[in-house]
């Protein structure tokens, strides 16, 4: 158990809809990262937050947005969903993100778009 | 950004040794991580290298050469449970984000 909690574990919805994925980092971790993993692609970095502020942005679509709240939990919002958005979405956390601190991953949310 | 290359698949026999190579190109290197990921599960941290040389952790070792942009993960005394995808990830100095390779699927056969 990594200590990172993601909900829900599975989500099935239709094209055009909007969903929110939730992540609670490990106790004491200030940084939260979001990744997308499709069957034909590796882990793609989406966005990072550190102590409530956006720190780094990857290949995140404009239809996607995220935030980190004062209690350090984070939400990833996906809107106008398309079939190609079907993937495993992972959240990871680390203390600050520097040095030898690894990122610890949650179990992921499997999103299926019908 | 980073360009990270690792072999797609490797197969080895139980009890044997397998070496997974990773080459990378980066504008600002700030550490290399290896993760293990079983199908449908979360990646789990295996090792970290930031200085040149070998880091040993039980059956797993990882090596780094910064001048060559090269790392390898060595898995010894392979067990069936080691069948998984192994991900090489490089951290960028400017913003600490991790870029992952596509992963190497290792299959251990009896």
């Amino acid at each position: 158990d990594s200590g990172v909690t993601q909900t829900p574990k599975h989500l099935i919805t239709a094209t055009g809809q909007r969903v929110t994925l939730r992540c609670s980092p490990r106790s004491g971790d200030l940084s939260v990262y979001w990744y997308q993993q499709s069957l034909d692609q590796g882990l793609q970095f989406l966005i990072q937050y550190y102590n409530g502020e956006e720190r780094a942005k990857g290949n995140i679509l404009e239809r996607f947005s995220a935030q980190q709240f004062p209690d350090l939990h984070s939400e990833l919002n996906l809107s106008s969903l398309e079939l190609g958005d079907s993937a495993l979405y992972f959240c990871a956390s680390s203390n600050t993100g520097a040095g030898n601190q690894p990122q610890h991953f949650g179990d992921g949310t499997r999103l299926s778009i019908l | 950004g980073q360009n990270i290359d690792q072999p797609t698949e490797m197969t080895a026999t139980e009890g044997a040794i397998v070496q997974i190579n990773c080459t990378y190109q980066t504008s600002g290197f700030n550490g290399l991580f290896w993760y293990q990921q079983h199908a449908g599960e979360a990646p789990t941290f295996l090792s970290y290298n930031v200085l040149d040389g070998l880091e040993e952790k039980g059956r797993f070792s990882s090596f780094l050469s910064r001048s060559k942009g090269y790392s390898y993960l060595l898995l010894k005394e392979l067990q069936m449970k080691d069948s998984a995808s192994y991900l090489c990830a490089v951290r960028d100095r400017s913003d600490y984000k991790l870029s992952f390779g596509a992963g190497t699927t290792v299959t251990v056969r009896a």
Side-chain angles (χ1 to χ4, degrees):
Chain A
D1 181 14
S2 68
V4 178
T5 304
Q6 288 188 249
T7 56
K9 290 194 184 310
H10 302 276
L11 202 45
I12 302 174
T13 188
T15 55
Q17 296 298 304
R18 173 191 168 93
V19 297
T20 297
L21 313 184
R22 196 177 190 278
C23 170
S24 294
R26 290 189 324 159
S27 176
D29 283 357
L30 301 176
S31 266
V32 168
Y33 312 78
W34 286 97
Y35 293 88
Q36 179 192 59
Q37 188 174 42
S38 308
L39 275 175
D40 57 347
Q41 289 191 355
L43 271 169
Q44 300 292 317
F45 169 72
L46 295 177
I47 198 164
Q48 178 200 356
Y49 280 83
Y50 173 74
N51 205 21
E53 303 281 330
E54 182 185 303
R55 173 174 266 188
K57 222 168 185 176
N59 300 320
I60 187 166
L61 299 172
E62 283 190 15
R63 300 184 286 110
F64 296 1
S65 65
Q67 55 184 325
Q68 186 180 27
F69 295 87
D71 67 353
L72 301 177
H73 92 269
S74 178
E75 293 181 354
L76 178 67
N77 301 295
L78 315 177
S79 61
S80 302
L81 286 168
E82 301 175 359
L83 293 176
D85 297 328
S86 294
L88 253 179
Y89 290 85
F90 285 107
C91 168
S93 75
S94 67
N95 186 253
T96 62
N100 63 350
Q101 300 167 22
Q103 294 178 20
H104 298 273
F105 285 76
D107 289 336
T109 293
R110 184 172 294 280
L111 177 63
S112 299
I113 313 300
L114 304 180
Chain B
Q2 280 92 4
N3 226 357
I4 301 169
D5 287 313
Q6 48 181 133
T8 306
E9 293 179 339
M10 301 184 77
T11 302
T13 308
E14 200 174 14
I17 297 173
V18 71
Q19 177 174 312
I20 306 169
N21 295 324
C22 171
T23 58
Y24 63 89
Q25 293 173 315
T26 178
S27 49
F29 177 82
N30 192 23
L32 187 143
F33 295 81
W34 284 96
Y35 282 81
Q36 180 192 60
Q37 186 180 25
H38 287 97
E41 297 184 8
T44 55
F45 168 71
L46 290 178
S47 70
Y48 169 77
N49 295 74
V50 69
L51 300 176
D52 291 351
L54 188 68
E55 294 284 339
E56 297 190 78
K57 256 188 179 185
R59 294 190 299 115
F60 294 1
S61 306
S62 57
F63 171 83
L64 175 68
S65 168
R66 288 172 296 169
S67 62
K68 294 181 180 174
Y70 167 70
S71 173
Y72 68 72
L73 180 70
L74 196 69
L75 315 180
K76 301 178 215 170
E77 300 167 22
L78 279 171
Q79 301 175 10
M80 299 299 285
K81 67 178 181 179
D82 297 329
S83 291
S85 182
Y86 291 84
L87 310 175
C88 172
V90 174
R91 184 165 61 198
D92 189 279
R93 183 167 52 214
S94 63
D95 55 17
Y96 300 115
K97 74 181 186 190
L98 278 185
S99 294
F100 282 82
T104 299
T105 300
V106 171
T107 302
V108 180
R109 293 191 174 153

